[in-house]
Amino acid sequence: MSDLELMVLTILVGILTPFAIGLLIGIDRKITARMQNRVGPPVLQPYYDLIKLFGKERRAMNSSQTVFAIACMFLQLAAFVLLVTGGDLLVVFFVSSTGSFSLALGAFSAHSPFSYFGAQRELLQILAYEPIVFMVIVAIGFRERTFLAGSVAHDLLFVLPLALIALLPVLVIKMEKSPYDIATAHTELISGPYVEYSGTYLAITKIAHWFDLAILFGIMTLFFWDQNIWISIGIKLLIILAFFFTAIVIDNTTARLTRNRMVKFTLAFGLALTAGNMLILFLADQGVFRWP
Amino acid sequence: MALMENMRVRSPWILHFDTGSCNGCDLEVWALLTPKYDVERFGMVNKANPKHADILLLTGPVTKKSEDRLMTLYNQTPGPKVVVACGNCATNGVPFFDCYNVEGGIDRVIPVDVYVPGCACRPEAIIDGVVLAISKWKEKVAAEVPISASEAGPKEEQETVEAPEAKP
């Protein structure tokens, strides 16, 4: 495959991924409805929601709220573009988490108790999942001796399986799914950090959320690499779908836990898995035992 | 643009507010969200937040205490929006007519688009009302001046609401 074809493919992936994430969320709502013995909304429902929100009357609490929403979207977009074009994973991580922080800041800028609670809990969620994502990136860097996403050219699936599994609670948190939908808790906080956004600005935060998910899925796809680009893409998609479906099953079989348990569990589980995997890798490098 | 208009009315988000109901109609509104009636197949989600809502499902007679809150919720909902009064009390406040602490039906406070009668109103009737409300909403969406062109439309609407002569 020539460089030009690869470039075209990169651009295609970059443009199509956000749309694919919207479709994934639609599929998620359909599967969830079927699991609850309901018919459920059409698969394209997230797009209908988005188009409707852009058509609503434009209202904001204050100007800083809108600035933070737009900043959140552009930071996530920048991180996503950086990841797709094979940039530095650490920079992707930092830019993306700045985006998450600006969502919390936007929620803090509105003087509403629900928004405040949502923002506090959003920060707590960031505390729970960011160290794991960071450690996973460090593990990839430890194995590949580079942090450039474009230079990760080995099959990591069998070398770093524990680090990949550690991303599951992160996905559950980022998809705002049941045991850990702490910030957007719809039964008590309505929608947490999004509560004071309406219309167009809510749509902007939604798009930012889609890009945020795309970045996490992008990091997951780094775990598989093959000479043949089509096999590579196929297995990458399979990894994404497997994680996505597991998150839906977890969502439908669990109730929401408290925020303390979220922080304790995700940090202990995620850090133990990634650190353990790196230790195994280190010992294997020293020749203590063989590791694929 | 007809396609766009059709897509825009496919996600009516609900705000349910009880202005002083006996909870009979509230239970029927909640029944809509259960697997038996499953209104999410129309894209309807109970958002419980006026800032995200498009359709206001209101139950109960407006008590003097809830009047201001109802007005606030209505004003916080960004347009285009539709109001559905569910149940006899919400339509004209019947059993509480002339009661010292009750203002009357929902339309004494805010403009109502669809009235769903019944004590309590059946979930099927509410679904009928909501389908009617969606067609009303479609008209409002189509009549709406594009937001980028003018922001006068929603403001006028609010002025008529806040006018004191709306209350007889």
Side-chain angles (χ1 to χ4, degrees), chain A residues 38 49 52 56 59 196, chain B residues 11 40 51 54 75 147:
Chain A
R38 293 188 285 122
D49 291 350
K52 179 207 67 181
K56 293 282 282 185
R59 278 193 200 170
E196 294 296 333
Chain B
S11 87
E40 207 194 342
K51 294 187 178 172
D54 306 299
N75 288 337
I147 293 161

